[in-house]
Amino acid sequence: MTVLSPARSSLRMVSVLDALLAILDRVRVLIIRLWPAWLFSAYFFGGWWFASKGDGIQDAYSRIASAWQIAAGFEPHLTEIGFVWGPIPVVPEIPFAIIGRYWAPMITMGLCATIVTAGFGILMVYQAKMLFTERGLRPATVTALCWLMAFNPMLFIYSSNGMSEIPYIALLMAGIRYLSRWETSRATLDLAAASMLVGLATWDRYEALVAMVGLVSVVILVLLHDTRGQSWRERRGLFEANLIIAVMPTLMFFGTFILFSWTLTGQPLAQFTSQQGNNVQILALLRSQHYSATATTRAINISSELLHIAPVLPFLFFFVLGLIWTERSKLRISGLAIFGLPLIFDLYGLTSGIQFDFMRYYIQAIMLVFCLGVELTVARRWGATVAVAAAAITALTVWTSMGNPNIGSLEYSYYVTLTGGEGHYYSDAQLDTPHVMAQWFDRLSLPPDSVLTDPTFGGLMITQSRRPYQFATSNDRNFLDVVNAPYKHHVRYVITVPSSLGTIYPISAYFPTMFNGCVPNTQLAAQFVLHGLQGFRRTYRVYKITGPISPSGVKADEKCLYPTPPNTH
Amino acid sequence: MSEIANVPKSYDFYNSHFPQPPQEERERAAQIAIDGLAGLDKELMATYAFSPWQRNFWITVAILVVAGFAIWPVQVGSSLVGFLVVLYGLTLYSRSRITIMGLTSTARNENILPVEIDDLPIYSILMPAFDEPEVIRNLVRAVDAIDYPKERLELLLLLEEDDNSTIDSLIGVELPTSVRVLLVPPSEPRTKPKACNYGLQFARGKYVTIFDAEDVPQPMQLRDAVELFESSPDDVACLQARLDYFNYTQNLLTRFFTVEYATWFGCILPGLQRLKMPIPLGGTSNHIKTNLLIDLGGWDPYNVTEDADLGIRLVQRGYRTLVLDSVTFEEANSDTVNWIRQRSRWYKGYLQTWLVHMRQPRATLGHMGPRGVLGITTVIGLTPALAAVNLFAAFLTVLFFIGVPASLTGIFPPWVVYVGSGMFFFGNAFVILTSIMAMIRMKKEYLALTCLVFPLYWLLMAVAATKAVYQLIVRPSYWEKTQHGLTDESAE
């Protein structure tokens, strides 16, 4: 047996340690380089876990229902995405929804939507990372801010729940990055990229139109600064050319969407005019007690909510605004304009009652904290510490706001789940009843388009069905023909809701008294009760159609009032 | 001068005023001007438009499409429309890529070493003119304007021997010492490349370039070209200067033309250069190494866009073309009919060029590689082809919106409608947007609003392209001369 001398033995140990350290270093590099994969996994499995606990939001499931109907339809047609929602995130969900034909959780647990928003979540963090780096932040600051962004409770939840907020934020973040580059380089390709990204965001949320106004403001301010001292005649060409580049892509994206919507459905702006659109729903809600507060009260409430969610924002806002005024050559205003203006618009909307009072509208405030923090870091040596602290404080305040059901009405269920409570009772998308309804219909083995409903109220049920093609919805191209003569178009069941909900549910616009059993040739087949947020109940009645019915044949006598006054239900 | 013009003149009379080379040399040069390229490879000449197999192929395709449409209108119609949509999509993709590469390229050629005045070589300028008596004024102006040692500058004014009016206009005028008038013996084809080939035989310069009579190059262009040549690797055989128009304010057509050229020279050519794709040379201001050009057989005298053809032949021989950061101002065509005439000639030439180089597709692929073949197909072949198809596509679009007969609705399957509509809106918007970006890059922001109505120009292009296709079939080598001197003087 050879005995190694202590010197040789320690040398060998050192070399083994070196090798181990090298391996560990490689693993570390691999982990760092593969951060999008890890983050995607976190969002994906997080979304799966939330869904398994019953957390979800109805709007997301409504989109999934549209994608599912296309993916599993008998005659799939892209117009079935409906035009109440923009094509993002519905269209990217379709390929994953196809997998749902073979693996149910992709639809029933909303995983096809989770994949899409997780992808956009990665895009958001990546674009932020690039922006921070291009603005000259130190790697440690970049990493800290990216972590705080990726795992901010709101941003995390919305990156995993299939809603439209994160795609919108990710596209705007990318737009800010390119616009910020343009502020430095004046390279038209950067400006064009920024305007295209903001334009694309209009396919996700209409607020992107306001973001475009922000983008245009930046272009005007920068050009005014560049051409100071010149006459308008000298400036004109430069302004015209750059402003066309700034505006044209957005008009193109939005205009094309309107044109398609108008051509295919007859409604150019379905979000505002459709029965399932925001406006109609908000008007209905405003009639209720909860929304009857005065504008002043609402303004106070909303300011207070904003301070709850992002208390550091006012400080950052005014301080950075002052810095921009004094050191404009060093600082960039893209983030402030592109997240700031839509935030102001949303706050105005909330105050004036043209928006739902949801916490998710404040998501831009969170992003604004990051953008302002970056400029502070560029301007002051101590800015990095303040920026990271502000992002950390915001993560904390967002978390506490979610824990308050009066602020985070939709997010509260996630909070309860994350803190170990029973969350599903509070969930906006309560899946138990829709699942039972879907199973009831699936057992009937009905042919395509046999059940009349719509993707907003019926969306949850459609996602729980393995036979989504059995539902005829308002997204269908021939919806008007079907709803005017259901029996002739092979509809055998109609899902109804109380007429007190008004015409949010489009079937009620045609058969307002069917819920009360006042339409001839129909008979009550089943009744389901949905339990929702904070003790909310909604009753669905399923009527079987036994012969031809038409909207003109609806009875409206003293027994079947038309329509039932909203406040009597 | 008018008295002289009324007297019938002979070659001897002109020879006494403008001494010509010995007759033997003239005859030899005239022969090479026509057959120089043929001596290398007859198949590279556009003496005929279609080779036998190409003719048979296109006739077969036409018969199959017509017969197929008669028998199965919906199936064949939808396949055709689908094919068009795919073709448009691919072209849009490649054009986007080229444009973005062009927009992100650096404007100036880097690492250029200055060349001392004493080291400047002899530079030859070929200036072909036909039936342009007003050439004299521009000629003197051009020579005076060029910043190059006059003793090393050689301007060869190439006139047809029987072009009395132009030659007469020069008699009695004291020409600059660097100008030499060469009378091209009359023979067919009577084309600009033939005249240039003739002049090339007598050029003494290390480098040679072509200017049209009305061209106004930037004064330093020749020196810039020498410096770039001397600083570039040996495989750089040609430099293409940017062309621009001095009369862009004359009317909407000249504005369109200016936008088009700014995009072409400001984005597309730098993009092609970066992607290492063949660069089709512009009609003038291409600077070439003289010896190399003679070795290549000069220009194809039968090709009506001999410059584009030369650009491809350079690539086939392993040479490169770079974009020279210098501008030559030209006169933009301001008359619509005249513009269509000029454009149809260019388009016909592009089609000719593509067909010539596709006569032996395997050999072309071997010489240029897939990227090169894709490049010439996209930039040379598909530009006029799609411009011609645009009229048909516009008709189909209108047909779709006003309503298709029920029996033919199937020719617009849903995927075609979605992709086609998307490309109609986004493709057009993208091209307009990139045009505006090119205007900013070329410091022509004042033309941004013109870019917004650029689709009107595409309609004109479609008319010219349709005419070009017709002429390619019935008069392949006919040179449709562009009328110059239509500039409203106030517009300059």
Side-chain angles (χ1 to χ4, degrees), chain A residues 77-79 188-189 192 237-238 240-242 244-245 248 252-253 259-260, chain B residues 100 103-104 418 421 425-426 429 432-433 436-437 440 445-446 448-449 452:
Chain A
H77 200 283
L78 208 57
T79 55
T188 46
L189 210 56
L238 199 63
E240 282 171 356
N242 283 290
I244 292 171
I245 293 175
M248 197 172 145
M252 197 61 222
F253 279 105
L259 190 73
F260 271 95
Chain B
I100 289 169
L103 282 168
T104 50
Y418 292 133
S421 311
F425 291 111
F426 287 100
I432 290 172
L433 198 67
I436 297 171
M437 289 156 74
I440 295 177
E445 300 91 350
Y446 46 82
L449 291 179
L452 290 179

Side-chain angles (χ1 to χ4, degrees), chain B residues 255-270:
Chain B
R255 282 172 173 268
F256 281 149
F257 219 159
T258 312
V259 168
E260 186 190 13
Y261 259 37
T263 311
W264 181 255
F265 288 98
C267 291
I268 305 287
L269 292 194

Side-chain angles (χ1 to χ4, degrees), chain B residues 44-116:
Chain B
L44 285 177
M45 292 183 77
T47 39
Y48 53 90
F50 298 91
S51 65
W53 79 263
Q54 285 176 328
R55 187 192 55 216
N56 296 340
F57 173 79
W58 288 111
I59 289 174
T60 310
V61 169
I63 290 172
L64 284 178
V65 168
V66 172
F69 192 75
I71 301 167
W72 304 288
V74 170
Q75 289 84 345
V76 174
S78 61
S79 305
L80 267 182
V81 174
F83 175 71
L84 273 184
V85 165
V86 171
L87 203 61
Y88 271 110
L90 291 175
T91 310
L92 186 64
Y93 167 74
S94 66
R95 194 182 162 98
S96 320
R97 190 161 155 67
I98 292 167
T99 308
I100 289 169
M101 291 300 277
L103 282 168
T104 50
S105 68
T106 48
R108 294 199 65 82
N109 303 106
E110 289 167 358
N111 308 320
I112 299 176
L113 301 170
V115 176
E116 296 292 324

Side-chain angles (χ1 to χ4, degrees), chain A residues 160-421:
Chain A
S160 65
N161 71 1
M163 291 289 283
S164 63
E165 274 69 17
I166 290 299
Y168 166 75
I169 292 291
L171 291 169
L172 291 197
M173 194 71 228
I176 287 168
R177 179 192 160 203
Y178 283 101
L179 190 62
S180 183
R181 279 165 57 149
W182 178 79
E183 282 191 71
T184 310
S185 68
R186 304 290 188 278
T188 46
L189 210 56
D190 286 335
L191 177 60
S195 60
M196 275 192 240
L197 287 158
V198 172
L200 187 60
T202 61
W203 276 10
D204 186 65
R205 298 189 66 82
Y206 293 160
E207 289 105 309
L209 285 172
V210 186
M212 185 205 72
V213 175
L215 187 146
V216 168
S217 315
V218 173
V219 173
I220 290 174
L221 288 172
V222 168
L223 291 181
L224 279 174
H225 186 257
D226 282 356
T227 58
R228 60 192 183 281
Q230 292 181 12
S231 68
W232 171 240
R233 196 183 155 82
E234 291 167 306
R235 289 169 157 183
R236 197 178 131 185
L238 199 63
F239 271 79
E240 282 171 356
N242 283 290
L243 286 176
I244 292 171
I245 293 175
V247 171
M248 197 172 145
T250 305
L251 294 184
M252 197 61 222
F253 279 105
F254 195 59
T256 314
F257 182 62
I258 286 177
L259 190 73
F260 271 95
S261 174
W262 188 33
T263 312
L264 296 167
T265 68
Q267 289 184 325
L269 290 164
Q271 173 79 19
F272 305 107
T273 55
S274 160
Q275 295 302 330
Q276 301 100 62
N278 263 5
N279 269 23
V280 176
Q281 295 196 18
I282 290 163
L283 281 175
L285 284 168
L286 280 175
R287 290 196 200 108
S288 69
Q289 285 291 319
H290 183 70
Y291 282 81
S292 63
T294 63
T296 315
T297 316
R298 278 202 298 265
I300 293 166
N301 286 343
I302 284 151
S303 306
S304 147
E305 283 179 11
L306 181 63
L307 283 175
H308 263 101
I309 295 164
V312 293
L313 188 60
F315 158 75
L316 278 177
F317 177 78
F318 289 109
F319 195 82
V320 173
L321 206 63
L323 286 175
I324 288 170
W325 188 255
T326 53
E327 299 173 33
R328 64 192 139 210
S329 60
K330 221 173 9 172
L331 300 186
R332 304 286 167 260
I333 51 173
S334 307
L336 186 62
I338 289 188
F339 279 133
L341 280 187
L343 176 65
I344 291 169
F345 173 79
D346 278 338
L347 292 179
Y348 168 76
L350 294 168
T351 310
S352 56
I354 57 170
Q355 289 283 36
F356 290 110
D357 186 8
F358 288 145
M359 184 176 165
R360 57 192 165 100
Y361 287 111
Y362 299 97
I363 204 163
Q364 292 160 124
I366 302 169
M367 298 309 292
L368 207 50
V369 169
F370 285 95
C371 291
L372 294 173
V374 170
E375 296 311 317
L376 192 64
T377 310
V378 172
R380 293 287 179 269
R381 195 177 290 174
W382 45 263
T385 314
V386 175
V388 172
I393 290 168
T394 307
L396 205 65
T397 51
V398 162
W399 173 248
T400 54
S401 302
M402 283 169 57
N404 180 347
N406 291 324
I407 299 175
S409 54
L410 300 176
E411 294 76 13
Y412 184 63
S413 66
Y414 293 93
Y415 177 86
V416 173
T417 300
L418 286 165
T419 49

